[in-house]
């Protein structure tokens, strides 16, 4: 029996180990498959990422030759590694980001070295003790001044990285100079940083450059198109024929949600791309003084506009919904408004994409007519939206012709509270409750109709608010047209507006290329 028990335990332990091994192998296979899918997805979304990765690899290889080849290593020494570090820190996805960080790093290193040698020259005249005191005071004052200037808005916006490099380089040279001769080290480090920055600028500005201004320009166009898709999809889904709208997909997987979320989350990327674009030289059809900050302002009004799209989408997921019979009364005018809104947004997107002045005359007139039709539809069904107030007005008119109505109205108010007491305390006055049922049923029906119309009234008011906020967007786009000197339309030019644009998967691509502020 003991031998059987031992064999059973051994068999069970082997089975457990085998099961764990199978689970581990299954997890490894799933991880490999998911990693492969993610790798292909990132490359397909934006092929420029593959090119940028290759440029970084080539740059690191070239700078490593300063350390690997003996003739170059003898000329640069141990400080050759700074060229590799410079490539890692400075080389960014876009040319503007690389140029900004490269200039900051070069100027910070140069000015810090000059100041450190000036302090060393003065401190060398004071003797060993006075030299240490003088260097310590210099390190303290420079540290306080640099740290405080980083709080200045303009410095923090454009030169924060340069100030950090300046402070680091100054302390490295000034403190090290007390023990060793750092003149050769500083000279070698400066040359290696210049080599690294020069290689980064060459790769960013010459070899398949990626422009921050172009990314900001294209992302703004995509935001217009994404909002147009989301608004039209919300209205079309709201007026579907099915009575019950079951939301099967998760909110994060909804394409409509992704469209307006890309707009609402674009503040940081817009500001960073505009800042980097201001550092870029003249290229393509853009000029050096191109009004990139106006794109940031357009992004602000687009986010303000996108909040209404988010609220419209929230109406689809609301727990309280108006019945289809109520929606059907206003379906056609709402669909017309929802059809004209995307046309206006797409026209604005086309004008920005093609650098031409937009022509919204006909579209604005059609949108105004659609709003008038929606207003007329509201007026044709006053009972749904005034509800009890309309009923009270009718009762007031009847009171003037019949005094008995006044008595019945008063009895409804007083005996209604009595009925509530009957239900809460569960006793007495059942006959009074029965006598009130016909009158109370009319009030209940009217109130029910009013309550059923409330969710749709909220949806319709949001749709009208969307049209009102569109005026702010048009104003900012017209400012961009004047500042950027967009070409004006000629009398014979034709305008074609299409609703199908760049695939939705690229909507968020331009928000992923925000450069990171690395350390030294």
């Amino acid at each position: 029996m003991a031998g059987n028990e031992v064999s059973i335990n051994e068999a069970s332990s082997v089975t457990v180990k085998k099961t764990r091994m199978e689970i581990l192998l299954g997890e490894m296979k799933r991880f490999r498959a998911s990693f492969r899918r993610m790798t292909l997805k990132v490359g397909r979304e934006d092929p420029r990422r593959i090119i940028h990765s290759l440029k970084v690899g080539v740059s690191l290889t070239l700078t490593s030759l300063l350390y690997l080849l003996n003739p170059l290593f003898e000329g640069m020494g141990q400080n050759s590694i700074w060229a590799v570090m410079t490539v890692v820190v400075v080389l960014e996805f876009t040319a503007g980001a690389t140029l900004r960080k490269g200039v900051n790093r070069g100027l910070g290193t140069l000015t810090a070295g000059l100041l450190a040698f000036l302090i060393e020259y003065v401190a060398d005249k004071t003797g060993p003790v006075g030299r240490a005191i003088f260097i310590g005071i210099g390190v303290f004052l420079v540290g306080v001044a640099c740290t405080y200037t980083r709080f200045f808005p303009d410095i923090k916006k454009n030169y924060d990285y340069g100030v950090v490099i300046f402070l680091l380089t100054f302390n490295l040279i000034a403190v090290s100079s007390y023990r060793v001769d750092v003149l050769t080290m500083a000279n070698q480090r400066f040359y290696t940083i210049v080599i690294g920055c020069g290689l980064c600028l060459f790769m960013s500005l010459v070899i398949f450059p990626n422009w921050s201004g172009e990314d900001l320009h294209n992302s703004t166009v995509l935001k217009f198109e994404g909002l147009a898709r989301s608004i039209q999809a919300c209205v079309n889904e709201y007026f579907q024929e099915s009575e019950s709208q079951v939301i099967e997909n998760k909110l994060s997987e909804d394409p409509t949600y992704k469209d307006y979320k890309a707009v609402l989350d674009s503040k940081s990327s817009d500001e960073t791309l505009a800042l980097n674009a201001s550092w870029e030289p003249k290229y393509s059809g853009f000029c050096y003084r191109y009004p990139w900050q106006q794109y940031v302002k357009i992004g602000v009004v687009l986010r303000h506009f996108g909040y209404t799209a988010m609220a419209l989408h929230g109406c689809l997921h609301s727990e309280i919904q108006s019945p289809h019979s109520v929606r059907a009364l206003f379906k056609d005018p709402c669909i017309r408004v929802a059809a004209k809104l995307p046309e206006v947004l797409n026209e604005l997107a086309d004008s920005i994409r093609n650098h031409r002045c937009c022509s919204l005359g006909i579209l604005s007139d059609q949108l105004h007519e659609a709003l008038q039709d929606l207003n007329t539809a509201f007026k044709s069904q006053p009972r749904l939206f005034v509800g009890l107030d309309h009923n009270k007005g009718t009762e007031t008119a009847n009171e003037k012709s019949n005094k008995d109505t006044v008595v019945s109205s008063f009895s409804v108010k007083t005996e209604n509270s009595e009925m509530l007491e009957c239900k809460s305390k569960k006793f007495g006055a059942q006959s009074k409750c029965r006598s009130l049922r016909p009158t109370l049923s009319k009030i209940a029906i009217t109130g029910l109709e009013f309550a059923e119309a409330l969710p749709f009234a909220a949806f319709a008011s949001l749709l009208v608010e969307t049209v009102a906020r569109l005026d702010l967007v048009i104003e900012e786009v017209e400012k961009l047209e004047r500042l950027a000197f967009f070409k004006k339309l000629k009398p014979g030019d034709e305008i074609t507006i299409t609703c199908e644009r760049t695939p939705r998967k690229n909507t968020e691509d331009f928000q992923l290329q925000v450069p990171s502020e690395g350390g030294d």
Side-chain angles (χ1 to χ4, degrees):
M1 294 296 292
N4 292 336
E5 291 180 358
V6 171
S7 61
I8 292 174
N9 292 333
E10 291 178 354
S12 62
S13 62
V14 170
T15 303
V16 170
K17 292 181 180 179
K18 184 178 180 180
T19 303
R20 290 178 178 176
M21 184 62 66
E22 291 176 352
I23 294 174
L24 180 60
L25 292 175
E27 291 292 337
M28 293 178 63
K29 290 181 180 179
R30 283 191 292 270
F31 174 77
R32 184 177 62 181
S34 62
F35 180 77
R36 180 176 178 274
R37 286 194 301 268
M38 180 60 65
T39 303
L40 295 176
K41 178 183 177 183
V42 170
R44 288 171 180 172
E45 285 179 351
D46 193 352
R48 300 180 305 167
R49 298 169 180 170
I50 300 176
I51 298 175
H52 176 68
S53 301
L54 294 175
K55 290 195 297 184
V56 172
V58 172
S59 300
L60 291 174
T61 303
L62 292 177
T63 52
S64 299
L65 296 178
L66 297 175
Y67 206 87
L68 299 176
L69 298 180
N70 289 331
L72 298 177
F73 180 77
E74 291 176 358
M76 293 296 178
Q78 296 288 342
N79 292 293
S80 301
I81 199 66
W82 286 104
V84 180
M85 297 178 63
T86 300
V87 171
V88 174
V89 175
V90 173
L91 187 54
E92 294 286 351
F93 183 80
T94 60
T98 302
L99 185 60
R100 180 169 67 93
K101 297 189 74 173
V103 172
N104 272 266
R105 189 175 181 86
L107 291 178
T109 302
L110 178 61
T111 54
L114 293 176
L115 181 60
F117 283 119
L118 178 61
I119 291 179
E120 170 63 19
Y121 176 78
V122 176
D124 192 47
K125 307 293 184 179
T126 59
V129 178
R131 182 184 178 191
I133 296 174
F134 192 84
I135 291 176
I137 294 175
V139 168
F140 172 78
L141 294 178
V142 171
V144 172
C146 289
T147 305
Y148 189 74
T149 54
R150 292 183 65 190
F151 293 104
F152 294 178
D154 292 337
I155 298 295
K156 186 176 184 63
K157 181 179 179 181
N158 292 286
Y159 305 104
D160 186 71
Y161 179 70
V163 175
V164 173
I165 296 299
F166 172 85
L167 186 60
L168 177 63
T169 305
F170 173 80
N171 283 273
L172 178 64
I173 296 176
V175 176
S176 300
S177 64
Y178 186 77
R179 297 293 181 184
V180 296
D181 183 15
V182 295
L183 180 61
T184 304
M185 180 196 71
N187 188 37
Q188 292 176 348
R189 182 184 178 186
F190 176 74
Y191 283 123
T192 54
I193 289 178
V194 170
I195 292 173
C197 290
L199 183 59
C200 292
L201 294 178
F202 176 79
M203 285 292 181
S204 295
L205 298 175
V206 179
I207 307 299
F208 298 104
N210 301 319
W211 304 107
S212 298
E214 186 177 349
D215 284 358
L216 179 60
H217 179 84
N218 293 334
S219 66
T220 303
V221 173
L222 290 175
K223 283 186 285 189
F224 275 97
E225 295 172 350
L227 287 174
R229 286 193 301 265
S230 63
I231 291 174
Q232 192 164 23
C234 286
V235 177
N236 291 337
E237 186 176 354
Y238 190 79
F239 289 100
Q240 284 180 353
E241 296 296 331
S242 58
E243 287 280 349
S244 60
Q245 298 181 356
V246 180
I247 308 298
E248 297 180 355
N249 298 329
K250 295 181 180 180
L251 184 62
S252 59
E253 299 176 357
D254 193 344
T256 304
Y257 170 77
K258 293 181 179 180
D259 281 332
Y260 67 76
K261 184 177 182 295
V263 178
L264 299 180
D265 295 343
S266 63
K267 182 178 184 295
S268 178
S269 62
D270 286 352
E271 293 177 351
T272 304
L273 288 174
L275 174 61
N276 294 334
S278 64
W279 284 79
E280 293 176 350
K282 181 179 179 180
Y283 66 93
S284 184
F286 302 114
C287 58
Y288 180 68
R289 293 298 179 183
Y290 200 77
W292 297 117
Q293 289 301 320
Q294 184 61 29
Y295 280 88
V296 178
K297 295 179 181 179
I298 292 177
V300 172
V301 295
L302 281 180
R303 285 189 293 274
H304 188 251
F305 182 86
Y307 292 134
T308 56
M310 180 177 64
L312 285 172
H313 193 228
C315 292
L316 301 179
H317 297 264
S318 177
E319 296 293 335
I320 303 174
Q321 298 286 347
S322 296
H324 179 69
S325 58
V326 175
R327 304 184 197 185
L329 296 174
F330 309 96
K331 178 179 179 179
D332 292 338
C334 288
I335 292 293
R336 283 192 60 194
V337 173
K340 297 304 174 184
L341 271 172
E343 289 184 6
V344 175
L345 290 172
N346 286 323
E347 167 61 18
L348 294 174
D350 283 338
S351 68
I352 296 176
R353 176 188 285 110
N354 300 320
H355 299 88
R356 63 166 177 81
C357 295
C358 58
S359 177
L360 299 175
I362 299 176
L363 294 177
S364 298
D365 294 339
Q366 293 176 351
L367 183 59
H368 180 71
E369 291 177 2
L371 282 177
Q372 292 294 332
D373 293 340
L374 182 59
N375 187 37
T376 303
F378 288 154
K379 291 181 179 179
S380 65
Q381 300 292 334
R383 186 176 180 184
L384 286 175
F385 299 102
V386 296
L388 296 175
D389 294 336
H390 177 73
N391 212 30
K392 290 178 181 179
T394 305
E395 290 177 1
T396 304
N398 291 333
E399 284 175 1
K400 296 180 180 180
S401 59
N402 191 353
K403 295 182 179 180
D404 294 335
T405 308
V406 178
V407 177
S408 63
S409 175
F410 179 77
S411 63
V412 166
K413 295 179 180 179
T414 56
E415 294 177 358
N416 186 16
S417 60
E418 292 180 6
M419 187 183 71
L420 295 176
E421 293 178 358
C422 291
K423 290 184 177 180
S424 61
K425 297 180 180 180
K426 296 183 180 180
F427 67 90
Q430 294 182 355
S431 60
K432 293 182 180 180
C433 294
R434 290 196 190 97
S435 64
L436 287 173
R437 282 176 183 172
T439 307
L440 288 175
S441 62
K442 294 180 182 179
I443 297 177
I445 290 174
T446 304
L448 180 61
E449 292 176 351
F450 183 55
E452 289 178 346
L454 275 178
F456 175 77
F459 182 85
S461 64
L462 287 172
L463 190 60
V464 176
E465 177 68 17
T466 304
V467 179
R469 295 190 180 190
L470 186 61
D471 292 337
L472 300 176
V473 179
I474 295 174
E475 290 178 3
E476 295 299 331
V477 174
E478 290 177 347
K479 289 181 182 179
L480 178 63
E481 294 173 359
R482 294 192 299 269
L483 295 174
F485 301 102
F486 281 7
K487 58 184 178 182
K488 297 183 179 180
L489 292 175
K490 298 179 180 179
D493 293 343
E494 294 182 358
I495 302 174
T496 303
I497 301 175
T498 57
C499 295
E500 295 296 330
R501 293 295 174 202
T502 309
R504 184 179 286 109
K505 66 180 182 180
N506 292 332
T507 304
E508 300 177 353
D509 289 349
F510 300 101
Q511 300 180 19
L512 303 177
Q513 318 304 340
V514 179
S516 58
E517 297 292 342
D520 185 70

